[in-house]
Amino acid sequence: MPERRTVALVTLGCARNEVDSEELAGRLAADGWELVEDASDADVAVVNTCGFVEAAKKDSVDALLEANDLKDHGRTQAVVAVGCMAERYGKELAEALPEADGVLGFDDYADISDRLQTILSGGGHAAHTPRDRRKLLPLSPVERQGAAASVALPGHGAPQSADAPGAPAVEDLPEGVAPASGPRAPLRRRLAASPVASVKLASGCDRRCSFCAIPSFRGSFVSRRPGDVLNETRWLAEEGVKEIMLVSENNTSYGKDLGDIRLLETLLPELAAVDGIERIRVSYLQPAEMRPGLIDVLTSTEKVAPYFDLSFQHSAPAVLRAMRRFGDTDRFLELLDTIRGKAPQAGVRSNFIVGFPGESEEDFAELERFLTHARLDAIGVFGYSDEDGTEAATYGDKLDQELVDARLAHLSRLAEELTAQRAEERLGETLEVLVESVEDDGAVPLDEDEYAAAGRAAHQAPETDGQVLFTTDAGLAVGRMVRAKVVGTEGVDLVAEVIDVAEEAGR
């Protein structure tokens, strides 16, 4: 009888990392590893790190150290770092953090089982040497698809077909593991029972924002083929998923390397037609790349959420130019007017950086003007900090940290007030709400006992945009889509009453 091997995956960072963790889980389960939820019950704890900003990197290091502590009083024998921070720093991270028994890059994912077995057995695996992943693929997007088969693209799947030598047969896969059905269809194992799951639409980014290092370690933009996205969505629907969130570094670029920049407009109705799926949500949209046709599809297609996760970052022209971005307050407001003219209830969220090098008082006031008029449902605000290898790190005219902190605090307070006001504007609206937790299952993410269930409407993405709260769970169940009327607010959250439990979202 094979020796029992257990592994736990600890995921930090964004939804893209969650997809990567589920691919790793699928690969490990297919090779006989037993997945456990608690790292203290695992022989190996795999920490999927985030390497975006300093706060995220600190959280990743803390998670690795916490997992390492388990080796002194638990089953855990090894701690392994994967993910963006591991890919970005490689040997440097291994040297700075000897508590990690292994630091694996994206190129190790296809052989993750062998890598973990080697580490668990006491053997060493050299931490990879970081490289600029943008140089691994042709500069021209249309030349990338053929070359991409030889490049590790987490979340895209194995670079071989399901019938390739060494690929597990479908009948040999453990229950709950998605079979590879094409050159880029992933092995995937769900790590949560949520009715919501993310699906990778693409990887990498061709934009050159001066503050962002992501393209250097995630690589150039590569779209997944529509058939692979559809197959994965169908499998997730069979697993009980009701809402799909399409993720990548830039969804508005989807299809440009496949010869059709409007491919997303074609794909969305096909995804919405998948049996069992109730909602499709698109995240990570670039304002400068928004097309009238894409706005039309997002605002008029049944089951596609009129949801716009727009990466504004700032609205003062001078700051945007320094960021290597485009637009200004008035053009951004015009875009929002266009969206709301087609879908008045549309949800809009965005993130902003304050204290960017050279940001003047007038620039900061311009950003305040935009936020005051934009009526955003959710706002993330970050203070600027230098990121290794970015153009902005070389800029002069850096602001004093005290000024950055003051502007961050001021804009964060304003954002909280404005999003609460936006929530109040929704009083009386009728929403379609996907129920995600009820009191009986102990999963309601609230401190208050007065709310019996929670879910999200079309304008609310997981983790970031608030939720809809119900005072009673009568007739509600996790994964059910119901119609509800907004009767109150709790900050950015909405309090609602179910209109008709027997009529699920009018279907």
Side-chain angles (χ1 to χ4, degrees):
M1 184 175 181
E3 181 182 356
R4 180 173 182 249
R5 300 176 299 174
T6 57
V7 59
L9 286 128
V10 180
T11 306
L12 294 93
C14 64
R16 302 186 293 274
N17 258 16
E18 293 172 5
V19 176
D20 295 351
S21 285
E22 293 197 348
E23 180 189 311
L24 292 174
R27 292 179 183 277
L28 291 166
D31 203 43
W33 289 78
E34 179 182 339
L35 298 164
V36 296
E37 185 174 345
D38 194 329
S40 63
D41 297 328
D43 296 317
V44 183
V46 177
V47 180
N48 192 346
T49 61
C50 179
F52 182 39
V53 294
E54 285 303 319
K57 286 183 274 190
K58 181 181 183 303
D59 288 344
S60 296
V61 170
D62 290 345
L64 287 164
L65 293 174
E66 183 177 341
N68 182 70
D69 289 342
L70 297 174
K71 291 192 288 188
D72 295 330
H73 48 78
R75 180 187 178 98
T76 308
Q77 301 173 53
V79 176
V80 175
V82 299
C84 290
M85 188 176 180
E87 173 64 34
R88 184 176 181 182
Y89 294 105
K91 290 181 178 181
E92 182 182 343
L93 177 62
E95 293 169 359
L97 198 70
E99 291 85 353
D101 300 286
V103 176
L104 305 182
F106 297 151
D107 293 335
D108 292 305
Y109 282 22
D111 301 308
I112 187 66
S113 178
D114 289 344
R115 298 288 186 266
L116 296 192
Q117 185 60 58
T118 297
I119 293 168
L120 184 60
S121 301
H125 179 73
H128 79 108
T129 300
R131 52 182 173 168
D132 188 339
R133 298 190 73 87
R134 291 171 294 191
K135 298 179 180 179
L136 302 181
L137 292 170
L139 184 63
S140 172
V142 296
E143 297 177 1
R144 290 177 192 158
Q145 285 290 322
S150 61
V151 174
L153 297 171
H156 285 225
Q160 77 276 330
S161 62
D163 57 358
V170 171
E171 59 269 21
D172 295 333
L173 291 174
E175 183 178 355
V177 176
S181 57
R184 283 289 179 186
L187 288 166
R188 180 170 178 173
R189 174 72 172 265
R190 297 216 68 204
L191 294 174
S194 168
V196 183
S198 295
V199 172
K200 277 226 180 149
L201 197 59
S203 286
C205 186
D206 289 340
R207 301 183 70 87
R208 293 296 179 261
C209 301
S210 63
F211 55 83
C212 183
I214 288 176
S216 66
F217 57 85
R218 277 290 184 179
S220 299
F221 186 89
V222 180
S223 302
R224 291 183 71 194
R225 294 192 175 274
D228 291 340
V229 178
L230 277 164
N231 286 340
E232 188 170 349
T233 298
R234 293 186 185 109
W235 176 78
L236 288 166
E238 292 171 359
E239 292 289 302
V241 170
K242 299 299 182 183
E243 177 179 323
I244 294 295
M245 186 164 75
L246 299 177
V247 299
S248 75
E249 279 72 24
N250 177 10
N251 280 334
T252 35
S253 283
Y254 180 69
K256 72 176 186 178
D257 53 325
L258 295 171
D260 185 0
I261 191 61
R262 295 175 176 81
L263 194 55
L264 183 55
E265 288 95 303
T266 304
L267 178 60
L268 284 172
E270 295 183 66
L271 291 171
V274 171
D275 190 33
I277 296 298
E278 295 289 342
R279 180 184 289 155
I280 301 292
R281 184 184 304 278
V282 183
S283 60
Y284 305 110
L285 301 170
Q286 288 292 338
E289 297 181 30
M290 290 301 296
R291 307 175 291 276
L294 180 55
I295 295 173
D296 287 343
V297 171
L298 288 171
T299 55
S300 65
T301 307
E302 185 179 6
K303 294 188 179 181
V304 174
Y307 176 80
F308 294 81
D309 176 13
L310 294 164
S311 179
F312 288 122
Q313 301 301 341
H314 213 283
S315 72
V319 176
L320 288 168
R321 283 196 298 271
M323 290 179 168
R324 304 295 184 199
R325 297 177 66 84
F326 308 95
D328 56 50
T329 295
D330 292 334
R331 273 190 278 182
F332 290 163
L333 291 176
E334 288 174 5
L335 173 61
L336 296 179
D337 286 343
T338 298
I339 290 169
R340 290 175 176 137
K342 295 177 180 292
Q345 289 185 322
V348 186
R349 82 166 323 274
S350 192
N351 293 324
F352 300 89
I353 298 173
V354 298
F356 195 79
E359 181 189 61
S360 66
E361 289 288 349
E362 292 77 14
D363 294 330
F364 187 64
E366 185 68 3
L367 178 55
E368 286 187 282
R369 181 171 80 88
F370 171 68
L371 288 178
T372 302
H373 291 88
R375 297 169 54 231
L376 302 180
D377 293 277
I379 300 170
V381 185
F382 302 90
Y384 172 82
S385 62
D386 286 340
E387 280 298 311
D388 298 334
T390 62
E391 179 184 355
T394 68
Y395 286 176
D397 205 11
K398 300 280 176 63
L399 277 62
D400 291 340
Q401 190 60 47
E402 286 187 6
L403 180 56
V404 175
D405 293 343
R407 289 184 179 177
L408 174 62
H410 175 81
L411 207 69
S412 296
R413 288 192 298 270
L414 178 62
E416 186 175 349
E417 294 172 4
L418 293 172
T419 52
Q421 290 174 15
R422 177 66 182 128
E424 290 175 358
E425 291 179 20
R426 293 191 179 274
L427 285 169
E429 284 188 2
T430 298
L431 308 173
E432 291 189 3
V433 181
L434 177 63
V435 179
E436 293 188 326
S437 57
V438 295
E439 187 174 24
D440 290 343
D441 69 8
V444 177
L446 295 166
D447 295 328
E448 308 289 342
D449 293 331
E450 58 188 297
Y451 297 112
R456 287 178 304 99
H459 71 280
Q460 297 168 317
E463 307 295 335
T464 59
D465 299 347
Q467 56 191 339
V468 177
L469 312 171
F470 297 97
T471 55
T472 176
D473 62 3
L476 300 182
V478 172
R480 186 173 188 180
M481 190 78 81
V482 299
R483 295 180 68 226
K485 181 178 181 179
V486 181
V487 297
T489 64
E490 292 279 351
V492 72
D493 296 328
L494 305 177
V495 181
E497 295 177 350
V498 176
I499 293 175
D500 188 349
V501 173
E503 182 185 0
E504 294 190 12
R507 301 184 186 96

